[in-house]
Amino acid sequence: MLTVILVYLGVGAVAGVLAGLLGIGGGLVIVPMLVFCFSWQAIPSESIMHIALGTSMASIIFTSVSSFLAHHRRGAVHWEVVRRIVPGILVGTFLGTIVASRLSTGFLKGFFGFFLYYVAIQMLWDKKPKPS
């Protein structure tokens, strides 16, 4: 049990450092690491990708609330924008969860891999969205 805890603490630390250094979301780093750890723990292969994505999404709740509170303390939250986007975020999260739960592990792995390549190309070409 102690080994598992130490492995996950290490995974979290490495993912946090890499995400901070690369300026990307932690999910891009943590999901592949979780897939590796879950395989190491002999979790059934047909569930690994779903559990890794779900775990990553669950951790986003805590990091986004922390970030939100920090921005709120600095007066940097535009509440009108928050009121407009929250319904879409909630509906999108709910529908995305339903869709992801029905997709095969193979498809999810392929899609995630494609997404990683897409992000890597954008980083290499220094493509950034226009601020609005």
Coordinates of all heavy atoms in Angstrom, one line a residue, residues 38-126:
F38 N -2.3 2.3 -13.7 CA -3.4 1.3 -13.6 C -3.1 0.0 -14.2 O -3.5 -1.0 -13.7 CB -4.7 1.9 -14.2 CG -5.2 3.1 -13.5 CD1 -6.0 4.0 -14.1 CD2 -4.9 3.4 -12.1 CE1 -6.5 5.2 -13.5 CE2 -5.4 4.5 -11.5 CZ -6.2 5.4 -12.2
S39 N -2.3 0.0 -15.3 CA -1.8 -1.3 -15.9 C -0.9 -2.0 -14.9 O -1.0 -3.2 -14.7 CB -1.1 -1.0 -17.2 OG -1.9 -0.4 -18.1
W40 N 0.0 -1.3 -14.2 CA 0.9 -1.8 -13.2 C 0.1 -2.5 -12.1 O 0.5 -3.5 -11.5 CB 1.8 -0.7 -12.8 CG 2.6 -1.0 -11.6 CD1 3.6 -1.9 -11.5 CD2 2.5 -0.4 -10.3 NE1 4.2 -1.9 -10.2 CE2 3.5 -1.0 -9.5 CE3 1.7 0.6 -9.7 CZ2 3.7 -0.7 -8.1 CZ3 1.9 0.9 -8.4 CH2 2.9 0.3 -7.6
Q41 N -1.1 -1.9 -11.7 CA -1.9 -2.4 -10.7 C -2.8 -3.5 -11.1 O -3.6 -3.9 -10.3 CB -2.7 -1.3 -10.0 CG -1.9 -0.3 -9.2 CD -2.8 0.7 -8.5 OE1 -3.1 1.7 -9.1 NE2 -3.1 0.4 -7.3
A42 N -2.7 -3.9 -12.4 CA -3.5 -5.0 -12.9 C -5.0 -4.7 -12.9 O -5.9 -5.6 -12.7 CB -3.3 -6.3 -12.2
I43 N -5.4 -3.4 -13.2 CA -6.8 -3.1 -13.4 C -7.2 -3.6 -14.7 O -6.4 -3.5 -15.7 CB -7.0 -1.5 -13.2 CG1 -6.7 -1.1 -11.8 CG2 -8.4 -1.1 -13.7 CD1 -6.8 0.4 -11.5
P44 N -8.4 -4.1 -14.9 CA -8.8 -4.7 -16.2 C -8.6 -3.7 -17.3 O -9.0 -2.5 -17.2 CB -10.3 -5.0 -16.0 CG -10.5 -5.2 -14.5 CD -9.4 -4.2 -13.9
S45 N -8.0 -4.1 -18.4 CA -7.6 -3.2 -19.5 C -8.8 -2.5 -20.1 O -8.6 -1.4 -20.6 CB -6.8 -4.0 -20.5 OG -7.6 -5.0 -21.1
E46 N -10.0 -3.1 -20.1 CA -11.1 -2.5 -20.8 C -11.6 -1.3 -20.0 O -12.4 -0.5 -20.5 CB -12.2 -3.5 -21.1 CG -12.9 -4.1 -19.8 CD -12.1 -5.3 -19.3 OE1 -11.1 -5.8 -20.0 OE2 -12.5 -5.9 -18.3
S47 N -11.2 -1.1 -18.7 CA -11.6 0.0 -17.9 C -10.5 1.0 -17.7 O -10.8 2.1 -17.2 CB -12.0 -0.6 -16.5 OG -13.0 -1.5 -16.6
I48 N -9.3 0.7 -18.0 CA -8.2 1.6 -17.6 C -8.4 3.0 -18.2 O -8.2 4.0 -17.4 CB -6.8 1.0 -18.1 CG1 -6.5 -0.2 -17.2 CG2 -5.7 2.1 -18.1 CD1 -5.2 -0.9 -17.6
M49 N -8.6 3.2 -19.5 CA -8.7 4.5 -20.1 C -9.9 5.3 -19.5 O -9.8 6.5 -19.2 CB -8.8 4.4 -21.6 CG -8.6 5.7 -22.3 SD -6.9 6.3 -22.0 CE -6.9 7.8 -22.9
H50 N -11.0 4.6 -19.2 CA -12.2 5.3 -18.7 C -11.8 5.8 -17.2 O -12.2 6.9 -16.9 CB -13.4 4.4 -18.6 CG -13.9 4.0 -20.0 ND1 -13.4 3.0 -20.7 CD2 -14.9 4.6 -20.7 CE1 -14.1 2.9 -21.8 NE2 -15.0 3.9 -21.9
I51 N -11.2 5.0 -16.5 CA -10.8 5.3 -15.1 C -9.8 6.5 -15.1 O -9.9 7.4 -14.3 CB -10.3 4.1 -14.3 CG1 -11.4 3.1 -14.2 CG2 -9.8 4.5 -12.9 CD1 -11.0 1.8 -13.6
A52 N -8.8 6.4 -16.0 CA -7.8 7.4 -16.1 C -8.4 8.8 -16.4 O -8.1 9.8 -15.8 CB -6.7 7.1 -17.1
L53 N -9.3 8.8 -17.4 CA -9.9 10.0 -17.8 C -10.8 10.6 -16.7 O -10.8 11.8 -16.4 CB -10.8 9.9 -19.1 CG -9.9 9.7 -20.4 CD1 -10.8 9.3 -21.5 CD2 -9.2 11.0 -20.7
G54 N -11.6 9.7 -16.1 CA -12.5 10.1 -15.0 C -11.7 10.6 -13.8 O -12.1 11.6 -13.2
T55 N -10.6 10.0 -13.5 CA -9.7 10.5 -12.4 C -9.1 11.8 -12.7 O -9.1 12.7 -11.8 CB -8.6 9.5 -12.1 OG1 -9.1 8.2 -11.8 CG2 -7.7 9.9 -11.0
S56 N -8.7 12.0 -13.9 CA -8.2 13.3 -14.3 C -9.2 14.4 -14.2 O -9.0 15.5 -13.7 CB -7.6 13.2 -15.8 OG -7.2 14.5 -16.2
M57 N -10.4 14.1 -14.7 CA -11.5 15.0 -14.7 C -11.9 15.4 -13.2 O -12.2 16.5 -12.9 CB -12.8 14.5 -15.4 CG -12.6 14.3 -16.9 SD -12.3 15.9 -17.6 CE -11.6 15.4 -19.2
A58 N -11.9 14.3 -12.3 CA -12.3 14.6 -10.9 C -11.2 15.5 -10.3 O -11.6 16.4 -9.5 CB -12.3 13.3 -10.2
S59 N -10.0 15.4 -10.6 CA -8.9 16.2 -10.1 C -9.1 17.7 -10.5 O -8.7 18.6 -9.8 CB -7.5 15.7 -10.4 OG -7.2 15.9 -11.7
I60 N -9.7 17.8 -11.7 CA -9.9 19.2 -12.3 C -10.8 20.0 -11.4 O -10.7 21.2 -11.3 CB -10.4 19.1 -13.7 CG1 -9.2 18.7 -14.6 CG2 -10.9 20.5 -14.2 CD1 -9.6 18.3 -16.0
I61 N -11.8 19.3 -10.7 CA -12.7 20.0 -9.8 C -11.9 20.7 -8.8 O -12.2 21.9 -8.5 CB -13.7 19.0 -9.2 CG1 -14.6 18.3 -10.2 CG2 -14.5 19.6 -8.1 CD1 -15.4 17.1 -9.7
F62 N -11.0 20.1 -8.2 CA -10.2 20.7 -7.1 C -9.3 21.8 -7.6 O -9.2 22.9 -6.9 CB -9.4 19.6 -6.3 CG -10.3 18.6 -5.7 CD1 -10.5 17.3 -6.3 CD2 -11.1 18.9 -4.6 CE1 -11.3 16.4 -5.7 CE2 -11.9 17.9 -4.0 CZ -12.1 16.7 -4.6
T63 N -8.6 21.5 -8.7 CA -7.7 22.6 -9.2 C -8.4 23.8 -9.7 O -8.0 24.9 -9.5 CB -6.7 22.0 -10.2 OG1 -7.5 21.5 -11.3 CG2 -5.8 20.9 -9.7
S64 N -9.6 23.6 -10.3 CA -10.3 24.7 -10.9 C -10.9 25.5 -9.8 O -11.0 26.8 -9.9 CB -11.3 24.3 -11.9 OG -12.3 23.4 -11.3
V65 N -11.4 24.9 -8.7 CA -12.0 25.6 -7.6 C -10.9 26.5 -6.9 O -11.1 27.6 -6.6 CB -12.7 24.7 -6.6 CG1 -13.0 25.4 -5.3 CG2 -14.0 24.2 -7.2
S66 N -9.7 25.9 -6.7 CA -8.6 26.6 -6.1 C -8.2 27.8 -7.0 O -8.0 28.9 -6.5 CB -7.4 25.6 -6.0 OG -6.3 26.3 -5.6
S67 N -8.1 27.6 -8.3 CA -7.8 28.7 -9.2 C -8.8 29.8 -9.2 O -8.5 30.9 -9.2 CB -7.6 28.1 -10.6 OG -7.3 29.1 -11.5
F68 N -10.1 29.3 -9.2 CA -11.2 30.2 -9.2 C -11.2 31.1 -8.0 O -11.3 32.4 -8.1 CB -12.5 29.5 -9.3 CG -13.7 30.3 -9.3 CD1 -14.1 31.0 -10.4 CD2 -14.5 30.4 -8.1 CE1 -15.3 31.8 -10.4 CE2 -15.6 31.2 -8.1 CZ -16.0 31.9 -9.2
L69 N -11.0 30.5 -6.8 CA -10.9 31.3 -5.6 C -9.7 32.3 -5.6 O -9.9 33.4 -5.1 CB -10.8 30.3 -4.4 CG -12.1 29.5 -4.1 CD1 -11.8 28.5 -3.0 CD2 -13.3 30.4 -3.8
A70 N -8.6 31.8 -6.1 CA -7.4 32.7 -6.1 C -7.7 33.9 -7.0 O -7.4 35.1 -6.7 CB -6.2 32.0 -6.6
H71 N -8.3 33.7 -8.2 CA -8.7 34.8 -9.1 C -9.7 35.7 -8.5 O -9.7 36.9 -8.6 CB -9.1 34.3 -10.4 CG -8.0 33.7 -11.3 ND1 -7.0 34.5 -11.8 CD2 -7.7 32.5 -11.7 CE1 -6.2 33.8 -12.5 NE2 -6.6 32.5 -12.4
H72 N -10.7 35.1 -7.8 CA -11.8 35.9 -7.1 C -11.2 36.8 -6.1 O -11.6 38.0 -6.0 CB -12.8 35.0 -6.5 CG -13.8 35.7 -5.7 ND1 -14.8 36.5 -6.2 CD2 -14.0 35.7 -4.4 CE1 -15.5 37.0 -5.3 NE2 -15.1 36.5 -4.1
R73 N -10.2 36.3 -5.3 CA -9.6 37.2 -4.3 C -8.9 38.4 -4.9 O -8.8 39.4 -4.2 CB -8.6 36.3 -3.4 CG -9.3 35.5 -2.4 CD -8.3 34.8 -1.5 NE -8.7 33.5 -1.2 CZ -8.2 32.4 -1.7 NH1 -7.1 32.4 -2.4 NH2 -8.7 31.2 -1.4
R74 N -8.4 38.2 -6.1 CA -7.7 39.3 -6.7 C -8.7 40.2 -7.5 O -8.3 41.2 -8.2 CB -6.7 38.8 -7.7 CG -5.5 38.1 -7.0 CD -4.4 37.7 -8.0 NE -3.6 36.8 -7.4 CZ -3.5 35.5 -7.7 NH1 -4.4 35.0 -8.6 NH2 -2.7 34.7 -7.1
G75 N -10.0 39.9 -7.5 CA -11.0 40.7 -8.2 C -10.9 40.5 -9.7 O -11.3 41.3 -10.5
A76 N -10.4 39.3 -10.1 CA -10.2 39.0 -11.6 C -11.3 38.1 -12.2 O -11.0 37.5 -13.2 CB -8.8 38.4 -11.8
V77 N -12.4 38.0 -11.5 CA -13.5 37.2 -12.1 C -14.6 38.1 -12.6 O -15.1 38.9 -11.9 CB -14.1 36.2 -11.0 CG1 -15.2 35.4 -11.5 CG2 -13.0 35.3 -10.4
H78 N -14.9 37.9 -13.9 CA -16.0 38.6 -14.5 C -17.3 37.8 -14.3 O -17.5 36.8 -15.0 CB -15.7 38.8 -16.0 CG -14.6 39.7 -16.2 ND1 -14.6 41.1 -16.1 CD2 -13.3 39.4 -16.6 CE1 -13.4 41.6 -16.4 NE2 -12.6 40.5 -16.7
W79 N -18.1 38.2 -13.3 CA -19.2 37.3 -12.9 C -20.3 37.2 -14.0 O -20.9 36.2 -14.1 CB -19.8 37.9 -11.6 CG -19.0 37.6 -10.5 CD1 -18.1 38.4 -9.8 CD2 -18.8 36.3 -9.9 NE1 -17.4 37.8 -8.9 CE2 -17.8 36.5 -8.8 CE3 -19.4 35.1 -10.1 CZ2 -17.4 35.4 -8.0 CZ3 -19.0 34.0 -9.3 CH2 -18.0 34.2 -8.3
E80 N -20.4 38.2 -14.9 CA -21.4 38.1 -16.0 C -20.9 37.0 -16.9 O -21.8 36.2 -17.4 CB -21.5 39.4 -16.7 CG -22.5 39.4 -17.8 CD -23.9 39.0 -17.3 OE1 -24.3 39.4 -16.2 OE2 -24.6 38.3 -18.1
V81 N -19.6 36.9 -17.2 CA -19.1 35.8 -18.1 C -19.3 34.5 -17.4 O -19.8 33.5 -18.0 CB -17.6 36.0 -18.4 CG1 -17.1 34.9 -19.1 CG2 -17.4 37.3 -19.2
V82 N -19.1 34.4 -16.1 CA -19.3 33.1 -15.4 C -20.8 32.7 -15.5 O -21.1 31.5 -15.8 CB -18.9 33.3 -13.9 CG1 -19.3 32.1 -13.1 CG2 -17.4 33.5 -13.8
R83 N -21.7 33.6 -15.3 CA -23.1 33.3 -15.4 C -23.5 32.8 -16.8 O -24.3 31.9 -16.9 CB -24.0 34.5 -15.0 CG -24.1 34.7 -13.5 CD -25.2 35.8 -13.2 NE -24.6 37.1 -13.2 CZ -23.8 37.6 -12.2 NH1 -23.5 36.9 -11.2 NH2 -23.4 38.9 -12.3
R84 N -22.9 33.3 -17.8 CA -23.2 32.9 -19.2 C -22.6 31.6 -19.5 O -23.2 30.8 -20.3 CB -22.7 34.0 -20.2 CG -23.6 35.2 -20.1 CD -23.3 36.1 -21.3 NE -22.0 36.1 -21.9 CZ -21.2 37.1 -22.0 NH1 -21.6 38.3 -21.5 NH2 -20.0 37.0 -22.5
I85 N -21.4 31.2 -19.0 CA -20.8 30.0 -19.5 C -21.0 28.8 -18.6 O -20.9 27.6 -19.1 CB -19.2 30.2 -19.6 CG1 -18.5 30.4 -18.3 CG2 -18.9 31.2 -20.6 CD1 -17.0 30.4 -18.4
V86 N -21.4 29.0 -17.3 CA -21.6 27.8 -16.4 C -22.7 26.8 -17.0 O -22.5 25.6 -16.9 CB -22.0 28.3 -15.0 CG1 -22.6 27.2 -14.2 CG2 -20.7 28.8 -14.4
P87 N -23.9 27.3 -17.5 CA -24.8 26.3 -18.0 C -24.2 25.4 -19.1 O -24.4 24.2 -19.1 CB -26.0 27.1 -18.5 CG -25.9 28.4 -17.7 CD -24.4 28.6 -17.5
G88 N -23.5 26.0 -20.0 CA -22.8 25.2 -21.1 C -21.8 24.3 -20.5 O -21.7 23.1 -21.0
I89 N -21.0 24.7 -19.6 CA -20.0 23.8 -19.0 C -20.7 22.6 -18.3 O -20.3 21.5 -18.5 CB -19.2 24.6 -17.9 CG1 -18.3 25.6 -18.7 CG2 -18.3 23.6 -17.1 CD1 -17.6 26.5 -17.7
L90 N -21.8 22.8 -17.6 CA -22.5 21.7 -16.9 C -23.1 20.8 -17.9 O -22.9 19.6 -17.7 CB -23.5 22.3 -15.9 CG -23.0 23.1 -14.7 CD1 -24.1 23.7 -13.9 CD2 -22.1 22.2 -13.9
V91 N -23.8 21.3 -18.9 CA -24.4 20.4 -19.9 C -23.4 19.7 -20.7 O -23.5 18.5 -20.9 CB -25.3 21.2 -20.8 CG1 -25.8 20.4 -22.0 CG2 -26.5 21.8 -20.1
G92 N -22.3 20.4 -21.1 CA -21.2 19.7 -21.8 C -20.5 18.6 -21.0 O -20.2 17.6 -21.6
T93 N -20.3 18.9 -19.8 CA -19.7 17.9 -18.9 C -20.6 16.7 -18.8 O -20.1 15.5 -18.9 CB -19.4 18.5 -17.5 OG1 -18.5 19.6 -17.7 CG2 -18.8 17.5 -16.6
F94 N -21.9 16.9 -18.5 CA -22.8 15.8 -18.4 C -22.9 15.0 -19.7 O -22.8 13.7 -19.7 CB -24.2 16.3 -18.0 CG -25.2 15.3 -17.9 CD1 -25.2 14.4 -16.8 CD2 -26.2 15.1 -18.8 CE1 -26.2 13.4 -16.6 CE2 -27.2 14.1 -18.7 CZ -27.2 13.3 -17.6
L95 N -23.1 15.6 -20.8 CA -23.2 14.9 -22.1 C -21.8 14.2 -22.5 O -21.8 13.1 -23.0 CB -23.6 15.9 -23.2 CG -25.0 16.4 -23.1 CD1 -25.3 17.4 -24.2 CD2 -26.0 15.3 -23.1
G96 N -20.7 14.9 -22.2 CA -19.4 14.3 -22.5 C -19.2 13.1 -21.7 O -18.6 12.1 -22.2
T97 N -19.6 13.1 -20.5 CA -19.5 11.9 -19.6 C -20.3 10.7 -20.1 O -19.8 9.6 -20.2 CB -19.9 12.2 -18.2 OG1 -19.1 13.3 -17.7 CG2 -19.7 11.0 -17.2
I98 N -21.5 11.0 -20.6 CA -22.3 10.0 -21.1 C -21.7 9.4 -22.4 O -21.6 8.2 -22.6 CB -23.8 10.5 -21.4 CG1 -24.5 10.8 -20.1 CG2 -24.6 9.5 -22.3 CD1 -25.8 11.5 -20.2
V99 N -21.3 10.2 -23.3 CA -20.6 9.8 -24.5 C -19.4 9.0 -24.2 O -19.2 7.9 -24.8 CB -20.3 11.0 -25.5 CG1 -19.5 10.5 -26.6 CG2 -21.6 11.6 -26.0
A100 N -18.5 9.5 -23.4 CA -17.2 8.8 -23.1 C -17.5 7.4 -22.4 O -16.8 6.5 -22.7 CB -16.4 9.6 -22.2
S101 N -18.5 7.3 -21.6 CA -18.8 6.0 -21.0 C -19.2 5.0 -22.0 O -19.1 3.8 -21.7 CB -19.9 6.2 -19.9 OG -21.1 6.4 -20.5
R102 N -19.7 5.4 -23.1 CA -20.2 4.4 -24.1 C -19.2 4.1 -25.2 O -19.4 3.2 -26.0 CB -21.5 5.0 -24.8 CG -22.7 4.9 -23.9 CD -23.9 5.6 -24.5 NE -25.1 5.3 -23.8 CZ -25.5 5.8 -22.6 NH1 -24.6 6.6 -21.9 NH2 -26.6 5.5 -22.0
L103 N -18.0 4.8 -25.2 CA -17.0 4.6 -26.2 C -16.0 3.5 -25.7 O -15.8 3.3 -24.5 CB -16.2 5.9 -26.4 CG -17.0 7.0 -27.0 CD1 -16.1 8.3 -27.0 CD2 -17.4 6.7 -28.4
S104 N -15.5 2.8 -26.6 CA -14.5 1.7 -26.3 C -13.2 2.3 -25.8 O -12.8 3.4 -26.1 CB -14.3 0.8 -27.5 OG -13.5 1.5 -28.5
T105 N -12.5 1.5 -25.0 CA -11.2 1.9 -24.6 C -10.2 2.2 -25.7 O -9.5 3.1 -25.7 CB -10.6 0.8 -23.6 OG1 -11.4 0.7 -22.5 CG2 -9.2 1.1 -23.2
G106 N -10.3 1.3 -26.8 CA -9.4 1.5 -27.9 C -9.7 2.8 -28.6 O -8.7 3.5 -29.0
F107 N -10.9 3.2 -28.8 CA -11.3 4.5 -29.4 C -10.8 5.6 -28.5 O -10.2 6.6 -29.0 CB -12.8 4.6 -29.6 CG -13.1 5.9 -30.2 CD1 -13.1 6.1 -31.6 CD2 -13.6 7.0 -29.5 CE1 -13.4 7.3 -32.2 CE2 -13.9 8.2 -30.0 CZ -13.8 8.4 -31.4
L108 N -11.0 5.5 -27.2 CA -10.6 6.6 -26.3 C -9.1 6.8 -26.3 O -8.6 7.9 -26.4 CB -11.0 6.3 -24.9 CG -12.5 6.6 -24.6 CD1 -12.9 6.1 -23.2 CD2 -12.9 8.0 -24.8
K109 N -8.3 5.7 -26.4 CA -6.9 5.7 -26.4 C -6.4 6.4 -27.7 O -5.5 7.2 -27.8 CB -6.3 4.4 -26.3 CG -6.2 3.8 -24.9 CD -5.5 2.5 -24.8 CE -5.5 2.0 -23.4 NZ -4.8 0.7 -23.3
G110 N -7.1 6.0 -28.8 CA -6.7 6.5 -30.1 C -7.0 8.0 -30.2 O -6.2 8.8 -30.7
F111 N -8.2 8.4 -29.7 CA -8.6 9.8 -29.7 C -7.6 10.6 -28.9 O -7.2 11.7 -29.3 CB -10.0 10.0 -29.3 CG -10.5 11.4 -29.3 CD1 -11.0 11.9 -30.5 CD2 -10.5 12.2 -28.2 CE1 -11.5 13.2 -30.6 CE2 -11.0 13.5 -28.3 CZ -11.4 14.0 -29.5
F112 N -7.3 10.1 -27.7 CA -6.4 10.9 -26.8 C -5.0 11.0 -27.4 O -4.4 12.0 -27.3 CB -6.3 10.2 -25.4 CG -5.7 11.0 -24.4 CD1 -6.4 12.0 -23.8 CD2 -4.4 10.8 -24.0 CE1 -5.7 12.8 -22.8 CE2 -3.7 11.6 -23.1 CZ -4.4 12.6 -22.5
G113 N -4.6 9.9 -28.0 CA -3.3 10.0 -28.7 C -3.3 11.0 -29.8 O -2.3 11.8 -30.0
F114 N -4.3 11.0 -30.6 CA -4.5 12.0 -31.7 C -4.4 13.4 -31.1 O -3.8 14.3 -31.6 CB -5.7 11.8 -32.5 CG -6.1 12.9 -33.5 CD1 -5.4 12.9 -34.7 CD2 -7.0 13.9 -33.2 CE1 -5.7 14.0 -35.6 CE2 -7.3 14.9 -34.1 CZ -6.6 14.9 -35.3
F115 N -5.2 13.6 -30.0 CA -5.2 14.9 -29.3 C -3.8 15.3 -28.8 O -3.5 16.5 -29.0 CB -6.2 14.9 -28.2 CG -6.4 16.2 -27.5 CD1 -7.1 17.2 -28.1 CD2 -6.0 16.4 -26.2 CE1 -7.2 18.5 -27.5 CE2 -6.1 17.6 -25.6 CZ -6.8 18.6 -26.2
L116 N -3.1 14.4 -28.3 CA -1.7 14.7 -27.8 C -0.9 15.2 -29.0 O -0.1 16.2 -28.9 CB -1.1 13.5 -27.2 CG -1.6 13.1 -25.8 CD1 -0.9 11.9 -25.3 CD2 -1.4 14.3 -24.8
Y117 N -1.0 14.5 -30.1 CA -0.2 15.0 -31.3 C -0.6 16.3 -31.8 O 0.2 17.2 -32.1 CB -0.3 13.9 -32.5 CG 0.6 12.8 -32.3 CD1 0.0 11.5 -32.1 CD2 2.0 12.9 -32.3 CE1 0.9 10.4 -31.9 CE2 2.8 11.8 -32.2 CZ 2.2 10.5 -32.0 OH 3.1 9.5 -31.8
Y118 N -1.9 16.6 -31.8 CA -2.5 17.9 -32.2 C -1.9 19.0 -31.3 O -1.4 20.0 -31.8 CB -4.0 17.8 -32.1 CG -4.7 19.1 -32.3 CD1 -4.7 19.7 -33.6 CD2 -5.2 19.9 -31.3 CE1 -5.4 20.9 -33.9 CE2 -5.9 21.1 -31.5 CZ -5.9 21.6 -32.8 OH -6.5 22.8 -33.1
V119 N -1.9 18.8 -30.0 CA -1.4 19.8 -29.0 C 0.1 20.0 -29.2 O 0.6 21.1 -29.2 CB -1.7 19.4 -27.6 CG1 -1.0 20.2 -26.6 CG2 -3.2 19.4 -27.3
A120 N 0.8 18.9 -29.4 CA 2.3 18.9 -29.6 C 2.6 19.8 -30.9 O 3.5 20.6 -30.9 CB 2.9 17.5 -29.8
I121 N 1.9 19.6 -32.0 CA 2.1 20.3 -33.2 C 1.8 21.8 -33.0 O 2.6 22.7 -33.4 CB 1.3 19.7 -34.4 CG1 1.8 18.4 -34.8 CG2 1.2 20.7 -35.5 CD1 0.9 17.6 -35.7
Q122 N 0.7 22.1 -32.3 CA 0.4 23.5 -32.0 C 1.6 24.1 -31.1 O 1.9 25.3 -31.4 CB -0.9 23.6 -31.2 CG -2.1 23.5 -32.1 CD -3.3 23.8 -31.3 OE1 -3.5 23.5 -30.1 NE2 -4.2 24.5 -32.0
M123 N 2.1 23.4 -30.2 CA 3.2 23.9 -29.4 C 4.5 24.1 -30.2 O 5.2 25.1 -30.1 CB 3.5 23.0 -28.2 CG 2.4 23.0 -27.2 SD 2.7 21.8 -25.9 CE 4.1 22.5 -25.0
L124 N 4.8 23.2 -31.1 CA 6.0 23.3 -32.0 C 5.9 24.5 -32.9 O 6.8 25.1 -33.2 CB 6.2 22.0 -32.8 CG 6.7 20.8 -32.0 CD1 6.7 19.5 -32.8 CD2 8.1 21.1 -31.4
W125 N 4.7 24.7 -33.4 CA 4.5 25.8 -34.4 C 4.1 27.1 -33.7 O 3.8 28.1 -34.3 CB 3.4 25.4 -35.4 CG 3.8 24.4 -36.4 CD1 5.1 23.9 -36.6 CD2 2.9 23.6 -37.2 NE1 5.0 22.9 -37.5 CE2 3.7 22.7 -37.9 CE3 1.6 23.6 -37.4 CZ2 3.2 21.8 -38.8 CZ3 1.0 22.7 -38.3 CH2 1.9 21.8 -39.0
D126 N 4.1 27.1 -32.4 CA 3.8 28.2 -31.5 C 2.4 28.9 -31.9 O 2.3 30.1 -32.0 CB 4.9 29.3 -31.6 CG 4.9 30.3 -30.5 OD1 4.4 29.9 -29.4 OD2 5.3 31.4 -30.7

